[in-house]
Every structure is written in C-alpha cells, then in structure tokens.
Amino acid sequence: MDLLDAIRRRRTTNGPLLPDPVSEEHQRLLMEVASRAPSQLNSQPWRFVLVERRETIDAIADISGASMTEAMGNGTFFERYKPYFRFSRAEMERRRDGMLFDRLPAPLRPFTGQVFTSRGQKLMNAMRVPQTLGAENRRLVAGSPLLLAVLLDRSEYRPGELSSFYSVFSMGAAMENVWLTTTELGMGIQFVSFPMEVPGQWARIEALLHVPADLELMAVYRLGYLPEQDRRPAIDWTSAERKRPSQYVFRETCGTPQQGWDDVAAPDRR
C-alpha cells in the first residue's frame, strides 16, 4: 500500500476489533512512526503508553461506558455536538462535513427528528437508550486488545503559550502517522472520547495509568486488527467520488487571490 492509498483508506473504526493481541513487531512499528513525526525544534513533546493489561482495559471500558450513558442521558452530548449532525443525504451532500445521523447506533434512529427536543430526550431516557449505548461503548472498548494513551510533556504543553500550540500540533502529526500505519497493517483505531465529556471521569483514567505530574494525558485510543470483511478495499481515485466537492480552498498566488474558491474533493473522512 502506498502513502496516498493509506490516506484515502483511513477511517475511524466504530465497530468491533479482533481479540488477537497486537504483535510486538507492530507495536514497535507504531511507536517508530509516531516518533518520526515533525516537532518544533525537534522537541518531541509526546509520550505514549501501550496498555495490554486486561484489568486496566476493562476498567477504562467501564469508565467510558458510564461516561457515554451520562452524557447521552443528561443531554450534554447532543447539545454540544448538534452542529455536526446531518439528517438527510441531501444535507450531507450540501454541507460535506459532519455525520449523517442514520449512521449512528440503531437505538437513536427512531428519535432522529426529536433528538434535540426535551420531549425526545425524555423518550430516549424512558426507553433507556443512553444505557443501551453506554453498554455498547463499554463492550467495544473492553473488546480491544490494545489501548494507546497519548501524553504531552508539561514543560512544552503550557496552555496559553506558543509552545502549547507547537506541542499539540506535533502530537497531531504523530497520531496521523500512527493512524495511517494502522491502515497499512489491517488494524482499526478509535478515539475513546466519552470520558472527556463528563467531569471527573478523565481524572479516573489518569489515576489508573499513574500519570506523573510532569505529563498531561491528552487522549486514549483503542486499537486492534480488523475482521477481514471490515478492511477497506482499494479506492478508485479516478471515480466520480473524486470529483465531488467537499471543502473549498481560497488560493493565493503571489499575494493575489485567484477568482473564487476551488473545490477540493475528499470523501467522508470519519
């Protein structure tokens, strides 16, 4: 697989992973590609923790599932992210960003038209939809053979200072290297984000991982090998998909803007 193919195939894994352990060879490769990312003045502000211990993975899964149940149940998730939901394919084609709502878990689909109303929230809670979604989230995280914790050195990550931007930017580059490499290896990867949505839950994960005071826990990902049927096929980049407008870039040449915005094609990048 060449680089462009990996970029075009890259996706977030929303489904289950195989239980097979991630080989030591592949773990080392993921850490190598992360360390080869660019960083300001070669500061390399990132630190990584690979978690295979079953008790720790299960504990983080419990926290993640409970966090999803709470965020879905009290409405904060929908209120925070409603600008990113799309309710029809026509809207998705017009906006070319966000998530098509019918791709979300099945228990939410009957509430598509009401999800942002108080009545819809009460209906979902009465039918225990948040609990169903939380249990599924817990199952997915617990079913992962490997978790990856990403941390930043606090001597570089100083919010409000320019070094903080540099360190976060560098971390993003390192994780993109990891993400593209999982595509090459037939692996899946997903951000375990819900503990960040609920006050106090992220601190529980920090305690589980014994994060030292000089480091800041920035993200946790679940990784593993994908079932064969879930691996992305090669993309025909000459197809009509390539020609669909997605984002728009205003181009400047020698300080003089060209006329209008150029279409930049990109498929759904979730």
Side-chain angles (χ1 to χ4, degrees), residues 100-143:
L100 184 60
F101 208 71
D102 68 359
R103 292 188 182 183
L104 290 181
L108 286 180
R109 293 173 191 168
F111 306 97
T112 296
Q114 306 176 58
V115 69
F116 297 133
T117 67
S118 58
R119 180 174 179 271
Q121 185 69 56
K122 289 177 182 177
L123 279 171
M124 285 194 295
N125 289 352
M127 297 182 68
R128 297 183 60 79
V129 172
Q131 286 78 6
T132 300
L133 294 175
E136 174 64 9
N137 178 274
R138 190 221 169 273
R139 184 182 70 83
L140 288 174
V141 177

Side-chain angles (χ1 to χ4, degrees), residues 3-261:
L3 175 61
L4 288 178
D5 195 27
I7 291 172
R8 291 161 184 162
R9 292 192 194 193
R10 185 215 61 79
R11 295 291 187 274
T12 292
T13 300
N14 296 309
L17 302 164
L18 293 176
D20 310 47
V22 176
S23 70
E24 183 176 341
E25 175 190 0
H26 287 169
Q27 290 186 34
R28 288 182 178 277
L29 180 59
L30 292 174
M31 294 298 92
E32 177 192 347
V33 299
S35 68
R36 290 182 180 275
S39 59
Q40 177 73 358
L41 301 175
N42 197 29
S43 56
Q44 302 184 48
W46 48 68
R47 303 291 184 272
F48 301 97
V49 177
L50 293 167
V51 181
E52 293 183 290
R53 186 171 179 266
R54 176 46 47 191
E55 293 84 354
T56 304
I57 293 176
D58 286 343
I60 291 175
D62 289 341
I63 294 170
S64 183
S67 299
M68 187 173 195
T69 296
E70 183 172 344
M72 290 287 186
N74 63 23
T76 56
F77 176 82
F78 297 111
E79 183 61 31
R80 186 172 295 154
Y81 297 110
K82 62 184 178 183
Y84 306 103
F85 290 127
R86 309 288 173 251
F87 294 97
S88 70
R89 293 192 179 277
E91 184 184 14
M92 192 74 186
E93 288 296 319
R94 186 177 70 255
R95 294 291 302 267
R96 299 299 297 152
D97 63 4
M99 292 181 65
L100 184 60
F101 208 71
D102 68 359
R103 292 188 182 183
L104 290 181
L108 286 180
R109 293 173 191 168
F111 306 97
T112 296
Q114 306 176 58
V115 69
F116 297 133
T117 67
S118 58
R119 180 174 179 271
Q121 185 69 56
K122 289 177 182 177
L123 279 171
M124 285 194 295
N125 289 352
M127 297 182 68
R128 297 183 60 79
V129 172
Q131 286 78 6
T132 300
L133 294 175
E136 174 64 9
N137 178 274
R138 190 221 169 273
R139 184 182 70 83
L140 288 174
V141 177
S144 306
L146 183 67
L147 298 183
L148 170 63
V150 187
L151 307 95
L152 286 178
D153 186 337
R154 287 182 183 272
S155 67
E156 296 291 333
Y157 177 68
R158 302 189 296 271
E161 298 185 25
L162 192 54
S163 65
S164 181
F165 166 77
Y166 291 146
S167 60
V168 172
F169 191 88
S170 300
M171 181 188 74
M175 281 311 302
E176 183 70 357
N177 281 4
V178 169
W179 213 300
L180 293 176
T181 303
T182 63
T183 305
E184 165 74 19
L185 298 177
M187 296 175 63
I189 182 171
Q190 185 181 34
F191 183 25
V192 181
S193 60
F194 270 95
M196 304 184 82
E197 304 284 345
V198 178
Q201 297 288 56
W202 198 243
R204 293 179 62 194
I205 295 181
E206 290 176 322
L208 274 172
L209 298 179
H210 305 286
V211 176
D214 60 337
L215 297 178
E216 178 82 13
L217 180 63
M218 302 298 293
V220 174
Y221 296 85
R222 67 183 189 98
L223 301 93
Y225 299 111
L226 287 171
E228 191 65 36
Q229 66 272 16
D230 293 338
R231 298 185 183 185
R232 296 276 175 171
I235 295 173
D236 179 6
W237 200 240
T238 64
S239 68
E241 178 74 19
R242 183 178 186 273
K243 300 176 177 63
R244 290 193 303 172
S246 172
Q247 295 179 331
Y248 301 91
V249 178
F250 199 76
R251 303 189 184 279
E252 289 191 343
T253 305
C254 297
T256 303
Q258 296 179 358
Q259 292 182 353
W261 294 74

